[in-house]
Amino acid sequence: MKKRTFIKLCTAAAAMPLELPSFAAPEKLSNWAGNIEYSTENVATANSVASVQDFVRKHASFKTLGTRHCFNRIADSTQQLLTTDFAAQTPAIDSAARTISVGPGIRYGTIAPMLEKGGFALHNLASLPHISVAGAITTGTHGSGVKNGNLSTVVTALEIVNAAGVVVKLSRKNNPDIFPGAVVGLGALGVITKVTLNIQPTYQIAQTVYENLSFSSLKEHFDEVLSAAYSVSLFTDWQNQRINEIWLKHRIDPAKPPVKQPRDFFGATRATKNLHPIAALSAENCTEQMGIPGPWYDRLPHFKMGFTPSAGKELQSEYFVPHKNALDAILAVEKLHEQIGPHLMITEIRTIAADDLWMSPAYKQDSVAIHFTWKPEWPAVQKVLPMIEEQLKPFHAKPHWAKLFTMQPARLQSLYAKLPDYKALLKQYDPNGKFRNAFLDTNIYSS
Ligand SMILES: Cc1cc2nc3c(=O)[nH]c(=O)nc-3n(C[C@H](O)[C@H](O)[C@H](O)COP(=O)(O)OP(=O)(O)OC[C@H]3O[C@@H](n4cnc5c(N)ncnc54)[C@H](O)[C@@H]3O)c2cc1C
């Protein structure tokens, strides 16, 4: 039986946490997918920088939660969880500097319409707008586009409360030596209390979906396919040597009339109605397609705010390989189609431009990400992942920090050239391991 959640409230005014009456033993929180139950029922909420500082000083070990969309235990704690609710802090748009500054916990789906109203946009979004900015940038969350870096690449400044409870302000301009190590920080440097993002003038996107691209055509036109639009996603179930759907998100040039995309795309056929990436599901929760132009934030994600993104009950894994090896990597995974097929909902293939962020999987490497949306069958998926990781080993594949993987920590660590510098940074911000948990102990600190 489910029991009441026990919540401690921290406020700036009342440094003493307010404890709600507990009628029964507390209930544990779960992540969005429901595959992870966090290991403690102690959950507190901070609503200001001062209350975060107070909380940090009083606790020896805790993890901060964003919107709980990670699929693994990166956000877990056995001691204490902190959520943030900075509702009183309105995102601040600086039109002259072309930036937006947001507090922790705020979602892309909340700031996007504000930006649009001010005539601004972000360079890209993930497949869903439901995730928090702080949670997304700290795990290297990405969308697609050969020229688009991940969402962390437009971070220009960060405010972090470190393990001593001190507010540290870092910016790309003032701290060029360590800033690239702090942005994809894996939630390990402290509590992010403010993120500043580069913005640009608003733009429109028209989304056109094609069906059935043969692998032979993909092999022949690989780079043309992946760079055919501002953002391109390929969806495959790995069956019958084909890409089931291709989603082309064309950025509209305001100086030119919108172009209707041709019926044929390297042998694939333009869809005649909106589609879900999993063709059997209703497209009701998907952003508008059929080449109908719309604001960037209503086309770059695949899923609409206010609706369940993706399939709902699912698991996710994703591996980044160098763009130059991506076709070979895809063909290597295809060899596992019989093992993958029974447990897969859909695979998505996207591109991410190289960046300079130490713990980003696209560090100094134009990348292609091969993603798997799995049925919620962890015992089976757990057996398939090592096979995929083995197939992708020659391409030095790196797993997504927020998704499920089985790669050995030593192997994972060997893939990050800047890991020693990142660990040195962690030592500075968190000398006694206040922000560590089992995930970080295993995957980062174990060498
Ligand atoms: C349906 C679905 C679709 C997805 N699509 C994509 C996609 O298109 N591209 C992609 O790359 N990923 C995708 N993801 C993964 C998602 O982007 C990541 O899981 C992201 O980190 C989620 O952010 P969150 O706020 O929910 O983080 P959480 O799961 O709450 O936390 C993630 C990490 O951030 C830390 N954190 C959160 N807030 C703070 C803070 N204020 N200070 C310090 N640390 C903090 C946590 O401690 C933890 O380490 C998808 C996930 C789902 C469920």
Side-chain angles (χ1 to χ4, degrees), residues 11 19 42-43 95 151 163 179 186 229 259 279 297 356 406 427 446:
T11 66
E19 296 188 0
N42 298 328
V43 184
S95 304
L151 304 188
F179 191 70
L186 310 181
V259 186
Y297 69 88
D356 68 343
T406 53
K427 208 168 182 182
S446 61

Side-chain angles (χ1 to χ4, degrees), residues 339-355:
Q339 291 90 334
I340 291 172
H343 312 294
L344 186 79
M345 290 192 181
I346 202 71
T347 271
E348 181 176 13
I349 298 168
R350 287 178 282 184
T351 53
I352 304 100
D355 59 52

Side-chain angles (χ1 to χ4, degrees), residues 316-333:
Q316 294 190 8
S317 305
E318 190 166 35
Y319 298 93
F320 298 75
V321 294
H323 191 132
K324 61 179 191 300
N325 304 126
L327 181 57
D328 290 339
I330 290 166
L331 297 176
V333 173

Side-chain angles (χ1 to χ4, degrees), residues 32 38 63-71 74-75 104 126-128 131-132 134-136 138-142 186-187 190-192 309-310 314 316 318 350 400 402-403:
W32 172 84
Y38 297 109
K63 291 305 294 177
T64 311
L65 291 175
T67 42
R68 292 183 276 127
H69 281 72
C70 285
F71 290 86
I74 191 171
S127 69
L128 76 175
I131 49 177
S132 82
T138 205
T139 60
T141 294
H142 63 95
L186 310 181
V191 184
I192 302 165
S310 197
E314 65 193 54
Q316 294 190 8
E318 190 166 35
R350 287 178 282 184
H400 193 305
K403 303 187 183 180

